[in-house]
Amino acid sequence: RNKSVAWLRNFLAASGTLEAIKSFSNSSAVKTFGNEAFTFGGRKSRNSSDFKPLVSQNLKQNSFFLMNKKTTIYDIAKVLDITAASVSRALNTTPNISESPRNLVLETAAKMNYKQNRLALALRCGKSYDVGVIVPRIDSNFFASVIRGIEEELYAHKYNVIICQTHDDEKREFENINTLLNAQVDGILMSVSNVVSENASENDRIIKKVIEKNVPLVFFDRKKNIEGVSSVTINDYDVSYLATKH
């Protein structure tokens, strides 16, 4: 253990990381951050561009820690020495942050390769812009065409599609529904499994859970007769009868 600690200490010293940590921890950075003038490194200005060299310096000093993990708003807040709440307000364009400091946060976030957590955003906003599509298999020409039509229609409204396959296995169907619910999807389009197994009653319960969570659910092609769930199906009998009339 002592050898490991010594090796780590020598590595940090050789890479200049120890000095960077000391320098950053002792630096005076942003103390106020809002619509009025803000300070960074003991300087006061209304122009965020005045602080870009100091932000770049802090980014370099913390790059050792940031390169091996996913960037969070807390990392951005640490570099700018502001609160995570201020970073969040700037990233979500709330009105109580002026344009100049907001741009500084956005530029810093871009340099740190920050990506918003879409699940957290969905929980906060109540909308994920994701729709789940459950089909028995995607290598079927019919289901492939349906998925294409769904994707083209939803894309026009800025929605993404999450595709799941059941392979006509009700256990997989149950898991798919659970996964989509955990992903906070805004709706589910589903063609049910054609094979009835011992999991049938459990699957009915998970479908009722979808309804209880007020997640829109629509069956297509294959359906279950569940109250409150709409379906889109083809009446093969009537279509065949009409075909014989020609």
Side-chain angles (χ1 to χ4, degrees), residues 24 27-32 39-42 58 78-82:
F24 182 77
S27 66
S28 172
V30 176
K31 301 305 178 188
T32 60
T39 61
F40 193 106
N58 276 349
K78 183 178 180 181
V79 168
L80 295 175
D81 199 16
I82 59 177

Side-chain angles (χ1 to χ4, degrees), residues 150-159:
I150 291 171
E151 194 275 336
E152 287 180 353
E153 183 63 28
L154 290 176
Y155 179 80
H157 298 280
K158 302 186 183 303
Y159 279 87

Side-chain angles (χ1 to χ4, degrees), residues 87-151:
V87 173
S88 179
R89 286 196 295 270
L91 292 172
N92 292 294
T93 62
T94 51
N96 59 336
I97 296 289
S98 60
E99 184 177 356
S100 186
R102 178 183 293 119
N103 289 339
L104 181 62
V105 170
L106 294 176
E107 289 173 16
T108 305
K111 288 178 182 177
M112 296 174 69
N113 198 29
Y114 170 75
K115 298 289 185 295
Q116 277 193 309
N117 186 324
R118 297 186 69 236
L119 182 56
L121 192 63
L123 289 169
R124 185 171 66 252
C125 302
K127 205 169 186 64
S128 66
Y129 285 94
D130 290 329
V131 172
V133 178
I134 302 176
V135 296
R137 57 192 180 278
I138 61 173
D139 59 354
S140 158
N141 288 336
F142 172 75
F143 289 119
S145 298
V146 172
I147 290 170
R148 178 181 177 180
I150 291 171
E151 194 275 336

Side-chain angles (χ1 to χ4, degrees), residues 17-78:
T17 305
L18 283 177
E19 290 304 315
I21 294 169
K22 292 176 183 177
S23 174
F24 182 77
S25 62
N26 294 329
S27 66
S28 172
V30 176
K31 301 305 178 188
T32 60
F33 196 82
N35 291 325
E36 301 304 321
F38 53 100
T39 61
F40 193 106
R43 295 166 54 193
K44 187 173 183 178
S45 175
R46 292 180 183 275
N47 188 356
S48 64
S49 61
D50 292 344
F51 307 126
K52 287 182 180 178
L54 292 171
V55 172
S56 297
Q57 181 183 352
N58 276 349
L59 281 171
K60 289 178 181 178
Q61 291 173 349
N62 288 274
S63 61
F64 175 80
F65 300 103
L66 297 175
M67 64 188 295
N68 292 317
K69 73 184 190 74
K70 188 176 180 180
T71 303
T72 68
I73 61 172
Y74 299 99
D75 298 319
I76 300 171
K78 183 178 180 181

Side-chain angles (χ1 to χ4, degrees), residues 192-206:
V192 302
S193 298
N194 217 14
V195 178
V196 178
S197 68
E198 64 274 8
N199 295 309
S201 59
E202 191 174 17
N203 279 26
D204 287 345
R205 283 197 296 272
I206 193 71

